[in-house]
Amino acid sequence: MSATPPTDPWPLPELTRARRAIVVVDVVESVRLMLEDEAGFIDRWRRFVHEVRTEVLPKHGGRMVKSLGDGMLLTFESVPAATAAVFGMQLLACADKAGDALPLRVGVHSSEIAIDDLDVYGAGVNLAARLAGVGAAGGIVASADARDALVADVDASIEDLGDC
């Protein structure tokens, strides 16, 4: 009699590796904004996320990995596509009809990451999050890898922050 190996009751989704541009978006001082007007902030954030999902990401080939109450994790096939999407998101965040802009800061990095249906994993994801934390409201902080992938394609001023 041969024994059959037990089946995994919770099989994990298939994991693949690929090079991606990773974008982390964060609302600066979100706690203060929520304390001042929680319902208004939530409404603005939900509308912003909807516009990013339906307008920005399809136009630039991006994937929303997750949206939090005050941030997003996105991936793109290329850094130029990610950067164009980020500029579009910054415009949307400033264009609130009520005059209430969402003060976004963004981190952009390019690296090989592990990907499944639910999430993305790896040091590159963490680095993009840390870069976002360095940024000021309205700022985009890119790693050297991301900068090198877009310098010829970007129409913006780039300031070297040095080692962060």
Side-chain angles (χ1 to χ4, degrees):
M1 195 161 47
S2 66
T4 58
T7 58
D8 188 347
W10 298 287
L12 295 174
E14 186 67 30
L15 196 61
T16 60
R17 295 194 68 80
R19 184 161 196 86
R20 294 286 186 267
I22 306 128
V23 174
V24 173
V25 179
D26 179 47
V27 177
V28 178
E29 296 188 10
S30 60
V31 173
R32 179 186 60 77
L33 294 170
M34 282 191 232
L35 288 172
E36 289 174 358
D37 178 14
E38 184 177 60
F41 177 84
I42 291 170
D43 182 62
R44 285 195 315 275
W45 179 252
R46 291 179 67 216
R47 290 176 190 282
F48 175 73
V49 170
H50 175 74
E51 288 181 281
V52 168
R53 243 186 242 272
T54 59
E55 296 174 26
V56 175
L57 294 179
K59 182 177 179 181
H60 300 287
R63 171 189 174 200
M64 181 173 290
V65 178
K66 60 179 81 177
S67 168
L68 306 169
D70 66 348
M72 286 186 262
L73 174 58
L74 313 169
T75 61
F76 296 85
E77 295 284 328
S78 71
V79 174
T83 305
V86 168
F87 287 145
M89 285 185 278
Q90 291 285 21
L91 287 174
L92 282 174
C94 293
D96 188 287
K97 292 170 182 58
D100 295 324
L102 287 169
L104 302 180
R105 58 184 168 197
V106 179
V108 181
H109 180 54
S110 176
S111 74
E112 185 173 295
I113 57 174
I115 304 166
D116 69 21
D117 294 341
L118 304 174
D119 212 340
V120 293
Y121 312 88
V125 177
N126 295 13
L127 180 57
R130 299 309 177 268
L131 291 170
V134 172
I140 303 165
V141 179
S143 68
D145 289 330
R147 179 207 57 217
D148 292 348
L150 68 83
V151 169
D153 296 329
V154 73
D155 182 21
S157 62
I158 297 175
E159 176 184 350
D160 190 337
L161 299 177
D163 290 338
C164 297

